[in-house]
Amino acid sequence: MAPSVRPQARLRPPGMLLRALLPLLLFSSLPGVWCFSELFFMKEPQDVTVARKDPVMLDCQAHGEVPIKVTWLKNGIKLSENKRIQVLSNGSLYISEVEGRRGEQSHEGYYQCLAVNKYGAILSQKAHLTLSTISAFEVQPVSTEVQDGGVARFACKISSNPPAVITWEFNRTALPMTVDRVTTLPTGVLQIYDVGQRDAGSYRCVAATVAHRRKSMEASLVVIPAEESKPFHTPTIIAGPQNMTVSLHQTVVLECMATGNPKPIISWSRLDHKSIDVFNTRVLGNGNLMISDVKLQHAGVYVCRATTPGTRNFTVAMATLTVLAPPSFVEWPESLTRPRAGTARFVCQAEGIPSPKMSWLKNGRKIHSNGRIKMYNSKLVINQIIPEDDAIYQCMAENSQGSVLSRARLTVVMSEDRPSAPYNVHAETMSSSAILLAWERPLYNSDKVIAYSVHYMKAEGLNNEEYQVVLGNDTTDYIIDDLEPASNYTFYIVAYMPMGASQMSDHVTQNTLEDVPLRPPEISLTSRSPTDILISWLPIPAKYRRGQVVLYRLSFRLSTESSIQVLELPGTTHEYLLEGLKPDSVYLVRISAATRVGLGESSVWTSHRTPKATSVRAPRSPELHLEPLNCTTISVKWQRDAEDTAAIQGYKLYYKEEGQQENGPFFLDTRDLLYTLSGLDPRRKYHVRLLAYNNMEDGYQADQTVSTPGCTSVRDRMVPPPPPPHHLYAKANGSSSIFLHWRRPAFSTAQVINYTIRCNPVGLQNASLVVYLQTSETHMLVQGLESNTKYEFAVRLHVDQLSSPWSPVVYHSTLPEVYSGYYHLDQKSMTGIAVGVGIALTCILVCVLILIYRSKARKSASSKTAQNGPQQIPRTIASSASRTDVTKNHERAAENEDSLLPMIMPNGFLDAKGGTDLIINSYGPIVKSNSKKKWFLFQDSKKKKVEQPQRRFTQAVCFYQPGTTVLIGGEDSPSSPHQTASFPRPFSGTVDTEHSANSEGSHETGDSGRFSHESSDEIHLSSVISSTPPTSSSLTGSDSGDNPTTSKCEDPAVPSAAEPTPASVAQPSPAMLCFDKDCPV
């Protein structure tokens, strides 16, 4: 029966063995435990540069329990005192004269002081003593000719320690630096813009240190006349930035000098799309970038871009800035107290650039590994502790930028009453990652055992890390379940009691089972001809292989087809040639590996385009090799095919992160065989492709994938980066804006989170045009975009000084420049709309006022006419028409006879002609309150001119208006045939005015002249129409019987000049129509 397994407390690293169980017991029951008095340095020596024959002093002051003895080491060897070298009473080293005579032993080197008291010894950091030196000029200024208005550049370079300060002289006089168009760079470069005759002359540079001063050769500047008309010239960078490696906190200048017509604008950006630090960065002169107090975040690839103003003509130059940093600790060793035969473990982690080398010291001397003491990675493990292990231990990290040390004390507790070792230890394999370990209790003092510790490590290899698990005293078995597959492990057990630990048990070795591979191999794709692809791959690393690979499975297909072809190859194969493929086609390839247990996961599809069938003389694909330098940098190396005879002009490099957009091309020179990709994300897979090209065509390309490792710093391992935002969603909000929304990933605590949004058009190759936006919300409206353009968006979050990877990219397009949704109105649009609305309202108001004014004027004129009372109208001949005209009028009147005949009603007439309820009696029209409006808009205008059939009224009236021409017709009065009939108008009534449809007023109103009785106050001229058709006798005039005459209506107050008509002639009832264009409306 398998032993029962209980959940146990696990402590890692094993240096925590007794921290949880023993300290209180040890210190409460053991008399005479030594008290450790700290020994540390208050001052340590520092790097120094001195001139020959100068004195120098290196500080060293140690503090701790006295007596403390201080000695000095030079280059790791004890330094002897003499007349020029003395150790002062405070521990400092004094050298009275550094290299007084040539040929003497050099004082240059690395110095350290060693402080010792009765508890142990500690060693200080290294201090580098160097002599001040200066070399000859490596680069001298060169004479040059420049056109008037052009740019000139001089350069000089010199090596010195400390770095020399370089100034310039013009005609052997110090060049003034107050001129804006003249710039001097600390690197020894002189730039002159807008060159004129005043700048012609000789130039030289002066390099000076504390102890030396050098002058360069002179170079002349000749200014020649410029061309009268300067043609357009695209920007050209004549001096671009250079790759630089600087130390932390130094100042660096990246030069960028460009020419062109018009003068180009110079801008800077980073290739990794990160923002440039604006606090420690400024521009020198016309485009040089200076970064002061350089920090690690300033490292990267910087891009200088020269752009013609107002155009998209630009050129770029790039340079890599590498920042070196001295070592610094991120985890320090802690002092320990351990019983004899126990185990002590010190942990120490440091970081720096380049990566620091770790070593351990015991009482100031280096420790070497043996069977009992092991050093691996940055840990020190001491097994089966003996009294001699009681000492001060130091962890030292050093690189080219300096060294740093940290100390810890190991105190060994002595005890003779110890239990015997556990025995009958045996192991059994449970799975690919678990082994069951069992043992018997110690034969001696087993009742005093308070805990067991299980120790295990890999059996193969050197300096393998040992792990330890602490268990209670109530168990004699344990399953270790975090082992690597297909690996051998060694185990032993130690028993503990309050006074100490037992001896180690016998060692046992057991192996775990195999498992499927954890990751697929990295593949490389190249073509040797237009119809083949050579697939090659590297073996899977042992930690991911998890057994012996017995099979590789290759899958490939055309990108335009869905059918997949599968090949299975032996586990010893590392390349395969696919033949018989289609030229100029994109193929997708993936691979998976299998152990005896089964297949692992497949790689992602890797694309490769076969060459064109006509590209038989194109450059061959280079031999590509990728190597991760660290967790954020990949080294790309390649070699040209030795048998390739095609001419090449350069190389094109592309790369992309798995699932992201491709970056490139990066154009490289034919001499370049190495390129570094930096600013990458840890633990990501990258696809790199490289091809050679010439002026005819692109060559065959090489494709390869590689994965970046995880960062090794403790901070990176203990605090992993947060996950990226998810469910990123984009929606067009117009032709110039897109709305983004995303979700915040789940966190265990509610921290303040900020987000960065990356936005750029799809296919953008200029990093300076990428836009970065910040917000604390989970949504944002991105504005200022181009219409009908496809954009890509990604989001990352920032929390507690940590940044997540970028989210998956989302693509979305803005709307075309037409109305299709919501538009964003800017300030100018709103102002235009407001002005237009204001003008419209003003026009409406003016029109209303005009109508009101004219209405009042008409009412006033109408009321005056009514107040004049009935007037006697002289009888005149009202018609001059011939009998033919009268006959035509009779015919026209007959056509409308039905509509013209009045409807007889009690005490009056109903005028049906106008389509109204107008009732006319002997006194005039009567207005009904419930009258209805009827408009006749489509009658023949000719019919409107027909004289209405005569209707018999007892009286007629003429509303007289001065200056109006009227036509007067007569009819027989039924009451008094020989007298002029008239009737009074008691009020300003409304009569039918359809007969005046062609009057001027009708044209002005545009309504065919028809009005209902509600608009009667706008009518100033009315006539009473007779009810009977006119006769020939009724149209006779007073002077000539048959010839009608035309006269003007006279003022009622003036007597008429017309003669009375004969008694034999019937007296017509005068009817008047206005024909004059000045007739009031």
Side-chain angles (χ1 to χ4, degrees):
M1 184 177 191
S4 60
V5 179
R6 304 179 183 90
Q8 305 292 343
R10 177 176 300 182
L11 299 179
R12 302 188 190 281
M16 317 300 287
L17 172 63
L18 299 177
R19 182 173 298 171
L21 300 175
L22 302 180
L24 293 177
L25 294 172
L26 291 173
F27 286 103
S28 61
S29 60
L30 182 64
V33 175
W34 295 342
C35 178
F36 171 48
S37 178
E38 288 285 348
L39 180 63
F40 61 92
F41 288 107
M42 299 179 64
K43 286 186 179 181
E44 294 185 75
Q46 305 292 329
D47 293 346
V48 61
T49 300
V50 296
R52 191 183 303 274
K53 297 185 180 181
D54 283 353
V56 65
M57 185 170 67
L58 301 175
D59 292 327
C60 180
Q61 294 184 18
H63 177 78
E65 185 172 337
V66 295
I68 299 175
K69 182 181 179 181
V70 176
T71 57
W72 281 85
L73 287 76
K74 176 187 175 184
N75 297 330
I77 301 174
K78 184 177 180 180
L79 184 66
S80 301
E81 296 187 53
N82 54 42
K83 61 179 181 180
R84 286 205 298 265
I85 300 176
Q86 300 177 11
V87 177
L88 305 180
S89 58
N90 63 356
S92 299
L93 179 68
Y94 178 73
I95 303 177
S96 59
E97 188 178 8
V98 177
E99 290 193 21
R101 296 183 180 88
R102 293 189 180 274
E104 290 185 353
Q105 183 180 3
S106 172
H107 289 126
E108 287 187 302
Y110 292 93
Y111 289 80
Q112 293 173 283
C113 63
L114 179 70
V116 182
N117 67 2
K118 67 177 184 178
Y119 299 118
I122 56 174
L123 191 66
S124 73
Q125 68 182 17
K126 293 181 179 180
H128 193 195
L129 173 62
T130 57
L131 292 177
S132 176
T133 58
I134 191 170
S135 68
F137 279 98
E138 301 172 14
V139 176
Q140 300 270 8
V142 179
S143 300
T144 183
E145 290 185 354
V146 178
Q147 286 188 355
D148 194 1
V151 295
R153 179 181 182 271
F154 296 101
C156 65
K157 182 180 179 181
I158 195 170
S159 298
S160 64
N161 183 34
V165 176
I166 298 179
T167 58
W168 287 85
E169 292 183 352
F170 173 55
N171 294 332
R172 302 196 175 186
T173 304
L175 185 67
M177 294 292 101
T178 58
V179 183
D180 293 339
R181 56 189 186 83
V182 177
T183 303
T184 58
L185 305 183
T187 53
V189 174
L190 174 65
Q191 298 174 343
I192 306 175
Y193 285 84
D194 192 19
V195 172
Q197 290 296 334
R198 60 187 178 280
D199 300 314
S202 60
Y203 293 83
R204 69 178 179 183
C205 65
V206 180
T209 64
V210 176
H212 304 88
R213 181 181 176 87
R214 299 281 171 107
K215 295 182 179 180
S216 71
M217 297 172 55
E218 290 188 345
S220 60
L221 173 61
V222 179
V223 181
I224 60 178
E227 299 177 3
E228 294 183 359
S229 61
K230 294 183 178 179
F232 174 81
H233 181 58
T234 57
T236 302
I237 297 178
I238 60 175
Q242 302 296 317
N243 294 339
M244 300 188 70
T245 300
V246 298
S247 300
L248 207 62
H249 306 301
Q250 287 186 345
T251 297
V252 63
V253 176
L254 298 175
E255 183 183 7
C256 190
M257 192 175 187
T259 61
N261 185 35
K263 181 181 177 181
I265 299 173
I266 295 178
S267 60
W268 287 89
S269 62
R270 289 176 59 113
L271 189 62
D272 55 8
H273 304 162
K274 295 181 180 178
S275 58
I276 294 180
D277 181 11
V278 297
F279 298 102
N280 295 330
T281 305
R282 68 186 184 94
V283 176
L284 287 180
N286 286 271
N288 308 288
L289 186 68
M290 185 177 77
I291 306 174
S292 57
D293 190 18
V294 170
K295 299 180 177 61
L296 290 177
Q297 59 264 30
H298 291 137
V301 179
Y302 287 80
V303 182
C304 165
R305 171 176 170 170
T307 307
T308 301
T311 70
R312 294 190 176 183
N313 296 322
F314 66 90
T315 184
V316 297
M318 293 181 289
T320 301
L321 175 62
T322 303
V323 180
L324 304 180
S328 62
F329 286 113
V330 294
E331 187 174 1
W332 295 262
E334 298 179 357
S335 296
L336 302 173
T337 299
R338 292 289 182 267
R340 191 175 68 171
T343 299
R345 173 170 299 200
F346 296 102
V347 181
C348 179
Q349 292 280 355
E351 59 185 9
I353 300 177
S355 297
K357 178 184 177 182
M358 309 295 295
S359 59
W360 287 90
L361 307 175
K362 175 185 177 182
N363 289 334
R365 295 184 179 182
K366 279 193 174 184
I367 299 176
H368 299 282
S369 296
N370 54 40
R372 203 173 52 83
I373 300 175
K374 295 183 179 180
M375 294 177 293
Y376 37 80
N377 296 334
S378 54
K379 299 179 181 64
L380 172 66
V381 178
I382 305 174
N383 295 309
Q384 291 296 303
I385 294 174
I386 60 177
E388 289 76 12
D389 294 330
D390 191 309
I392 299 176
Y393 293 85
Q394 285 180 288
C395 167
M396 182 169 66
E398 57 182 337
N399 64 9
S400 60
Q401 301 300 297
S403 63
V404 63
L405 294 96
S406 182
R407 68 194 180 282
R409 170 81 186 277
L410 172 62
T411 302
V412 180
V413 178
M414 306 299 294
S415 175
E416 297 298 333
D417 190 14
R418 296 185 298 163
S420 60
Y423 71 99
N424 194 19
V425 179
H426 57 279
E428 181 181 349
T429 300
M430 305 292 293
S431 68
S432 63
S433 61
I435 291 177
L436 171 64
L437 190 67
W439 63 91
E440 299 288 341
R441 303 175 70 88
L443 296 175
Y444 177 70
N445 282 342
S446 61
D447 57 334
K448 296 182 180 180
V449 173
I450 61 173
Y452 292 100
S453 65
V454 176
H455 301 253
Y456 61 96
M457 61 186 298
K458 276 190 173 183
E460 293 92 358
L462 300 175
N463 290 332
N464 291 319
E465 185 170 1
E466 182 179 285
Y467 298 93
Q468 176 180 332
V469 182
V470 177
L471 309 173
N473 63 353
D474 57 345
T475 185
T476 57
D477 57 75
Y478 183 70
I479 293 181
I480 300 98
D481 58 1
D482 59 350
L483 307 177
E484 294 182 6
S487 301
N488 290 330
Y489 284 87
T490 298
F491 304 88
Y492 68 90
I493 313 294
V494 175
Y496 285 89
M497 61 177 296
M499 294 298 103
S502 71
Q503 296 286 342
M504 293 183 294
S505 69
D506 294 336
H507 288 66
V508 295
T509 301
Q510 188 69 16
N511 66 289
T512 54
L513 299 177
E514 289 187 351
D515 206 338
V516 297
L518 193 59
R519 65 165 57 170
E522 308 285 358
I523 63 174
S524 176
L525 307 176
T526 58
S527 289
R528 297 178 178 178
S529 71
T531 59
D532 64 34
I533 297 177
L534 177 63
I535 307 172
S536 58
W537 57 92
L538 297 174
I540 304 175
K543 63 181 296 185
Y544 303 114
R545 187 166 59 241
R546 305 206 292 187
Q548 181 181 357
V549 175
V550 298
L551 177 74
Y552 289 105
R553 176 175 290 178
L554 277 177
S555 304
F556 68 95
R557 66 179 176 90
L558 270 170
S559 62
T560 56
E561 299 179 359
S562 58
S563 61
I564 301 175
Q565 301 184 52
V566 179
L567 298 172
E568 292 189 350
L569 306 172
T572 56
T573 308
H574 292 97
E575 68 177 20
Y576 186 81
L577 182 64
L578 294 177
E579 297 179 293
L581 306 180
K582 295 181 180 180
D584 195 21
S585 300
V586 176
Y587 282 85
L588 302 179
V589 181
R590 69 182 179 187
I591 188 173
S592 59
T595 60
R596 283 184 287 264
V597 179
L599 278 167
E601 64 175 345
S602 299
S603 64
V604 297
W605 290 106
T606 302
S607 63
H608 180 83
R609 179 180 291 276
T610 54
K612 297 179 181 179
T614 58
S615 301
V616 292
R617 298 189 59 82
R620 300 290 181 181
S621 58
E623 182 181 344
L624 184 61
H625 177 68
L626 306 180
E627 179 183 359
L629 297 181
N630 53 48
C631 59
T632 60
T633 307
I634 294 176
S635 172
V636 183
K637 299 179 181 179
W638 63 92
Q639 289 290 337
R640 187 181 177 185
D641 189 346
E643 299 178 358
D644 186 11
T645 58
I648 65 172
Q649 188 175 347
Y651 295 96
K652 294 180 182 179
L653 175 70
Y654 305 79
Y655 78 94
K656 70 172 182 177
E657 182 182 340
E658 180 180 307
Q660 303 294 330
Q661 185 183 0
E662 188 174 59
N663 298 286
F666 301 98
F667 293 92
L668 307 174
D669 192 77
T670 54
R671 296 167 294 181
D672 295 331
L673 299 175
L674 171 66
Y675 190 81
T676 302
L677 299 175
S678 59
L680 308 179
D681 290 329
R683 301 184 182 93
R684 295 289 189 273
K685 179 167 286 189
Y686 287 88
H687 177 203
V688 179
R689 64 188 183 100
L690 180 73
L691 57 89
Y693 70 95
N694 53 33
N695 55 2
M696 299 294 294
E697 57 185 336
D698 288 346
Y700 297 3
Q701 69 181 27
D703 295 81
Q704 190 172 343
T705 59
V706 68
S707 298
T708 53
C711 292
T712 56
S713 68
V714 172
R715 185 183 298 112
D716 216 35
R717 292 206 314 268
M718 298 182 63
V719 186
H726 53 87
H727 292 88
L728 179 59
Y729 169 78
K731 181 179 181 182
N733 200 46
S735 62
S736 62
S737 60
I738 291 179
F739 179 80
L740 298 178
H741 183 272
W742 59 89
R743 292 185 184 178
R744 165 183 170 173
F747 288 97
S748 59
T749 57
Q751 299 128 319
V752 178
I753 297 179
N754 294 311
Y755 299 92
T756 298
I757 297 94
R758 186 183 72 201
C759 166
N760 60 271
V762 173
L764 181 69
Q765 298 182 4
N766 184 11
S768 64
L769 299 182
V770 178
V771 178
Y772 294 90
L773 306 170
Q774 281 77 34
T775 182
S776 58
E777 304 293 336
T778 57
H779 55 82
M780 171 171 276
L781 181 65
V782 182
Q783 303 182 22
L785 306 178
E786 297 290 336
S787 62
N788 200 24
T789 303
K790 189 174 184 180
Y791 284 85
E792 67 175 55
F793 303 90
V795 182
R796 74 190 307 178
L797 64 85
H798 312 278
V799 55
D800 290 343
Q801 299 181 348
L802 295 174
S803 297
S804 75
W806 289 103
S807 68
V809 175
V810 170
Y811 301 91
H812 206 77
S813 300
T814 53
L815 298 176
E817 195 70 79
V818 294
Y819 179 79
S820 57
Y822 300 99
Y823 280 90
H824 174 71
L825 297 178
D826 54 12
Q827 187 64 31
K828 292 183 178 180
S829 300
M830 293 297 296
T831 303
I833 292 174
V835 172
V837 171
I839 293 174
L841 292 176
T842 303
C843 293
I844 293 172
L845 182 60
V846 171
C847 291
V848 170
L849 292 176
I850 292 173
L851 291 175
I852 293 175
Y853 173 77
R854 295 183 65 179
S855 176
K856 289 183 178 180
R858 292 167 182 171
K859 286 182 180 180
S860 176
S862 177
S863 61
K864 288 181 180 179
T865 304
Q867 291 174 4
N868 290 334
Q871 301 293 333
Q872 184 70 26
I873 303 175
R875 257 182 322 166
T876 58
I877 302 300
S879 177
S880 60
S882 63
R883 293 183 181 272
T884 304
D885 296 335
V886 173
T887 303
K888 293 181 179 180
N889 291 339
H890 277 288
E891 293 174 356
R892 295 172 183 170
E895 294 175 3
N896 297 331
E897 184 175 4
D898 294 337
S899 62
L900 295 177
L901 289 178
M903 295 177 62
I904 302 175
M905 295 183 66
N907 302 324
F909 298 94
L910 175 62
D911 181 11
K913 173 189 172 185
T916 68
D917 295 340
L918 186 63
I919 298 175
I920 306 175
N921 59 16
S922 59
Y923 295 99
I926 298 175
V927 180
K928 282 188 176 183
S929 61
N930 59 348
S931 60
K932 298 181 180 180
K933 301 178 182 179
K934 293 185 178 180
W935 301 81
F936 295 85
L937 304 176
F938 304 102
Q939 291 187 2
D940 192 351
S941 59
K942 294 182 179 180
K943 295 181 181 180
K944 298 175 186 176
K945 297 181 181 180
V946 177
E947 186 176 351
Q948 202 172 4
Q950 294 185 359
R951 297 179 184 179
R952 295 200 175 270
F953 293 93
T954 56
Q955 295 175 344
V957 64
C958 172
F959 292 130
Y960 173 76
Q961 293 294 333
T964 303
T965 303
V966 298
L967 180 65
I968 302 176
E971 74 172 329
D972 295 335
S973 176
S975 57
S976 182
H978 303 288
Q979 295 178 1
T980 303
S982 64
F983 61 89
R985 183 176 181 179
F987 55 88
S988 179
T990 304
V991 296
D992 182 33
T993 58
E994 186 176 352
H995 59 279
S996 61
N998 291 335
S999 65
E1000 186 69 19
S1002 298
H1003 289 292
E1004 291 180 4
T1005 57
D1007 56 5
S1008 301
R1010 295 181 175 86
F1011 299 90
S1012 66
H1013 59 273
E1014 285 89 354
S1015 59
S1016 59
D1017 51 354
E1018 296 189 15
I1019 303 173
H1020 299 280
L1021 181 61
S1022 301
S1023 61
V1024 178
I1025 310 299
S1026 62
S1027 60
T1028 58
T1031 61
S1032 59
S1033 61
S1034 67
L1035 298 174
T1036 58
S1038 58
D1039 292 335
S1040 57
D1042 294 334
N1043 296 328
T1045 60
T1046 302
S1047 66
K1048 292 186 178 181
C1049 253
E1050 297 177 343
D1051 193 326
V1054 180
S1056 175
E1059 296 291 335
T1061 56
S1064 61
V1065 180
Q1067 300 292 332
S1069 177
M1072 293 161 285
L1073 296 175
C1074 257
F1075 289 95
D1076 190 70
K1077 66 179 181 179
D1078 297 327
C1079 184
V1081 179

